[in-house]
Amino acid sequence: MASPASIVKLPNRGMASDPEPAQVSYLPWLPYWAVMEADFIQVLRSWVYRSWVLVVALTAIGLFTYRWGLHHEAKIIQPASHVIIHLMRGMMVGSVALVGVIAAGAIAAERGSLADSILSRGISRHQYYLGKWHGRLLAIMLGHALLGAIAITGARFVLHEDVTVEGGAAAVAMSGAMLAVVVSLGVMMSALFARPLAAAAALWVLLYAAGVVFGALPHSVPTPEWVLQKLPYVLKGEFTREMLVQVGMYAGGACIASAVVGMFLFSRKDI
């Protein structure tokens, strides 16, 4: 018979004193944040995005240098509002083409690995679409705000000062609202077409058709041409809060409507 000293008590694994297993929390929107962050970084590193920022920045610097020479050598006063409105018109015309290319490649450029990205992992098509849309939108709006700040700052220090800080911020916001609509439509086209070139071509056709329709609308509707006509007065601070709200509501409605249509069609489309 064994002695009491040789008896070993084994630990009871069912006792309540044992440490409880770690609880794993599930974050339903974590895949969305991952897609948005990855897409945002991808856009910042793309040569198209960097070319867009670099070309617009060099154009603004060259224009301000030329106007500064006229002002100091020929004694020709150059109102900053007139220079900035020409610069913004050129920025908008050139930016629409490049921004359309950037937005059109949001989903169409990943068609080869799209099935693995969505169907094989814990992310829905809606989250994937929203992540791509918001990532492209954030990158474009950040670049536009940076370029607008360079233009407003350069005009205030180099040219005849008739541009207010509030007016400059409002003008950048209004022009950014138009670019946001282009980005939203581009992502929608990217979800419908299998190739980025086809998505970009469809986007340009849609924009040209929208331009024809906008020409028949009343002047009270804030169309892109209406916004460009108001920008010289906005830069001088001659604007109202209702004007900004009106532009924001129309642009925001167009962005949300395009996103809803794009997500609906993308959720029913074969990958």
Side-chain angles (χ1 to χ4, degrees), residues 183-213:
V183 174
S184 301
L185 293 175
V187 176
M188 181 187 70
M189 292 299 177
S190 179
L192 301 182
F193 292 88
R195 295 184 179 181
L197 183 59
L203 173 62
W204 293 332
V205 171
L206 179 61
L207 292 178
Y208 282 122
V212 175
V213 175

Side-chain angles (χ1 to χ4, degrees), residues 70-255:
L70 289 178
H71 177 68
H72 288 273
E73 297 296 332
K75 304 301 180 182
I76 300 176
I77 298 177
Q78 299 290 321
S81 58
H82 292 176
V83 177
I84 293 180
I85 190 60
H86 289 298
L87 178 61
M88 280 192 169
R89 284 182 177 271
M91 286 173 55
M92 293 303 299
V93 173
S95 297
V96 166
L98 292 179
V99 167
V101 171
I102 295 173
I107 299 176
E110 298 183 355
R111 286 292 183 181
S113 59
L114 195 55
D116 294 336
S117 301
I118 295 180
L119 300 181
S120 301
R121 302 185 182 183
I123 179 173
S124 64
R125 294 194 181 191
H126 292 169
Q127 289 182 342
Y128 184 85
Y129 186 96
L130 289 175
K132 286 291 185 178
W133 175 39
H134 292 162
R136 304 273 159 154
L137 193 62
L138 181 61
I140 296 299
M141 291 299 100
L142 180 63
H144 177 72
L146 176 62
L147 295 174
I150 293 175
I152 300 301
T153 303
R156 285 180 58 85
F157 284 97
V158 175
L159 305 176
H160 178 67
E161 182 179 338
D162 66 338
V163 175
T164 63
V165 177
E166 295 81 6
V172 172
M174 293 173 65
S175 57
M178 293 188 293
L179 280 182
V181 176
V182 176
V183 174
S184 301
L185 293 175
V187 176
M188 181 187 70
M189 292 299 177
S190 179
L192 301 182
F193 292 88
R195 295 184 179 181
L197 183 59
L203 173 62
W204 293 332
V205 171
L206 179 61
L207 292 178
Y208 282 122
V212 175
V213 175
F214 289 155
L217 294 178
H219 295 287
S220 58
V221 179
T223 61
E225 184 63 28
W226 181 89
V227 172
L228 291 176
Q229 292 177 357
K230 296 292 184 181
L231 282 182
Y233 307 100
V234 174
L235 289 169
K236 299 177 183 179
E238 301 175 1
F239 66 94
T240 60
R241 182 177 300 179
E242 289 76 13
M243 181 187 301
L244 297 180
V245 172
Q246 186 181 17
V247 174
M249 289 181 60
Y250 275 89
C255 292

